[in-house]
């Protein structure tokens, strides 16, 4: 049984999803493994979904939801359905409904808790998107772009930290970089985007290019200093505060020397 499970998971790791689903089906049909049939059914659904056959996967998930309702397995299936609607179809209302079902199925489970967090994050996301749509469509001669880009940052953070969508977060930050005329916002967005490529998308080459661009465009800023740190470089950038501190320390040393002379 253990060998069969590991064999199936190895196929998942090599992205042979339909073959993995077949391996889980064999386990599911084995009478001796009856106690784990619900789990195997979930994995059949998940691997089928990874293979791009979402309609078939939904049939399997709903079988779990009806046969094993109010269990962690059902909560997990509803979470998978919510995640698919959120990230693939962008149907946030339907995604929230599935997340609610996941939470109701087994609130104390891992997937129930994750679903509650996702649902709350999506609600905030939808609210902020509506606010930004109102700003875009405003008939005011000078729209409140400061609030617009502030919302864009918050949306990017939700995508990254609450909804596990790093690519969507990058898209929002790129919008700030390309359209904001506020240098502070652009610097912040540029650094955040580079950091996402570095830590979340695991693309060090792209991150390095972006860090170097920050160092070149915004020297003597905290963002440039941190970019040097992240690249493993000696920190040569100094902010105004650093320069002021250096001047103060130099002056303080002179005062110390004068004090010693007066004592002598």
């Amino acid at each position: 049984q253990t060998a069969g499970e590991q064999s199936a998971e190895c196929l998942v790791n090599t992205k042979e999803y339909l073959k993995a689903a077949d391996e889980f089906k064999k386990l599911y049909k084995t009478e001796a493994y009856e106690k784990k049939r619900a789990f195997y059914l979930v994995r059949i659904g998940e691997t089928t979904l990874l293979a791009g056959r979402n309609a078939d996967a939904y049939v399997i998930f709903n079988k779990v939801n009806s046969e094993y309702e109010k269990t962690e397995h059902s909560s997990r299936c509803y979470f998978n359905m919510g995640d698919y609607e959120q990230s693939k179809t962008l149907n946030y209302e339907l995604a929230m409904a599935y997340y609610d079902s996941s939470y109701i199925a087994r609130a104390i489970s891992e997937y129930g808790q994750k679903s509650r967090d996702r649902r709350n994050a999506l609600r905030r996301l939808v609210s902020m998107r509506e606010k930004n749509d109102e700003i875009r469509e405003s008939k005011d001669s000078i729209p409140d772009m400061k609030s617009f880009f502030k919302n864009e940052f918050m949306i990017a953070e939700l995508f990254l930290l609450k909804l596990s969508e790093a690519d969507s977060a990058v898209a929002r930050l790129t919008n700030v970089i390309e359209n904001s005329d506020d240098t502070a916002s652009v610097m912040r967005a540029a650094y955040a985007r580079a950091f996402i490529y570095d830590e979340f998308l695991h693309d060090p080459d792209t991150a390095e290019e972006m860090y170097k661009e920050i160092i070149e465009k915004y020297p003597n800023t905290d963002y440039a200093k941190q970019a040097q740190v992240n690249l493993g470089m000696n920190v040569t950038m100094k902010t105004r505060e650093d320069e002021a501190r250096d001047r103060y320390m130099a002056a303080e040393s002179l005062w110390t020397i004068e004090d010693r002379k007066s004592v002598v």
Side-chain angles (χ1 to χ4, degrees):
Q1 183 178 6
T2 301
E5 291 175 3
Q6 292 181 348
S7 173
E9 295 298 348
C10 284
L11 288 168
V12 173
N13 291 337
T14 56
K15 299 185 179 181
E16 296 184 75
Y17 302 123
L18 290 179
K19 289 184 178 180
D22 288 338
E23 290 296 314
F24 282 120
K25 287 176 186 176
K26 292 177 184 177
L27 293 165
Y28 173 76
K29 293 177 180 178
T30 303
E31 291 185 8
Y33 308 152
E34 185 177 358
K35 290 183 178 180
K36 294 192 70 174
R37 292 189 78 192
F39 170 73
Y40 295 142
L41 200 56
V42 172
R43 290 301 284 141
I44 293 168
E46 289 174 340
T47 50
T48 301
L49 188 64
L50 287 170
R53 295 169 56 174
N54 59 294
D56 293 338
Y58 271 41
V59 170
I60 298 167
F61 288 147
N62 283 322
K63 179 179 175 63
V64 176
N65 295 336
S66 61
E67 294 185 4
Y68 303 95
E69 60 179 343
K70 304 296 183 181
T71 65
E72 183 171 354
H73 303 298
S74 177
S75 179
R76 180 169 175 171
C77 287
Y78 279 123
F79 175 85
N80 287 326
M81 296 162 83
D83 181 69
Y84 180 84
E85 299 299 338
Q86 171 203 314
S87 59
K88 299 301 182 182
T89 70
L90 305 184
N91 188 336
Y92 293 155
E93 293 298 329
L94 183 55
M96 285 189 282
Y98 282 132
Y99 287 143
D100 281 336
S101 296
S102 173
Y103 182 75
I104 292 170
R106 191 68 173 172
I108 62 173
S109 69
E110 173 191 355
Y111 291 95
Q113 294 297 311
K114 287 168 66 175
S115 290
R116 182 183 61 178
D117 292 342
R118 288 277 188 96
R119 178 201 60 194
N120 293 340
L122 277 179
R123 282 180 178 172
R124 289 180 59 200
L125 174 66
V126 170
S127 175
M128 285 186 287
R129 286 178 58 178
E130 289 174 350
K131 288 179 181 178
N132 273 5
D133 288 341
E134 290 175 2
I135 292 173
R136 282 199 197 97
E137 297 168 4
S138 173
K139 296 181 180 179
D140 295 340
S141 57
I142 304 176
D144 187 4
M145 297 309 293
K146 184 175 181 180
S147 294
F148 177 87
F149 288 116
K150 180 180 179 181
N151 286 341
E152 288 293 287
F153 271 114
M154 294 175 69
I155 290 172
E157 289 178 354
L158 283 173
F159 272 128
L160 179 67
L161 303 177
K162 296 294 185 179
L163 300 172
S164 301
E165 291 191 44
D167 289 332
S168 296
V170 166
R172 290 288 173 167
L173 293 170
T174 299
N175 182 38
V176 176
I177 294 166
E178 294 178 350
N179 297 294
S180 177
D181 56 5
D182 178 41
T183 303
S185 295
V186 173
M187 282 194 298
R188 179 185 173 194
Y191 179 81
R193 185 175 65 173
F195 184 80
I196 291 172
Y197 273 102
D198 193 7
E199 296 293 330
F200 291 87
L201 295 177
H202 308 294
D203 185 348
D205 293 334
T206 300
E208 181 177 353
E209 291 179 10
M210 291 180 173
Y211 283 139
K212 288 180 177 178
E213 185 177 358
I214 292 168
I215 295 168
E216 180 181 349
K217 284 187 175 181
Y218 311 111
N220 302 324
T221 65
D222 285 326
Y223 294 111
K225 285 176 61 178
Q226 191 58 47
Q228 286 188 318
V229 172
N230 293 353
L231 289 173
M233 301 167 60
N234 291 327
V235 178
T236 59
M237 298 293 174
K238 289 189 176 183
T239 64
R240 291 181 179 178
E241 290 78 7
D242 293 330
E243 293 173 350
R245 187 183 303 108
D246 290 344
R247 289 196 295 271
Y248 177 82
M249 295 302 292
E252 186 177 43
S253 64
L254 290 174
W255 297 335
T256 303
I257 293 172
E258 291 299 323
D259 287 343
R260 288 176 180 173
K261 287 182 179 179
S262 63
V263 170
V264 174

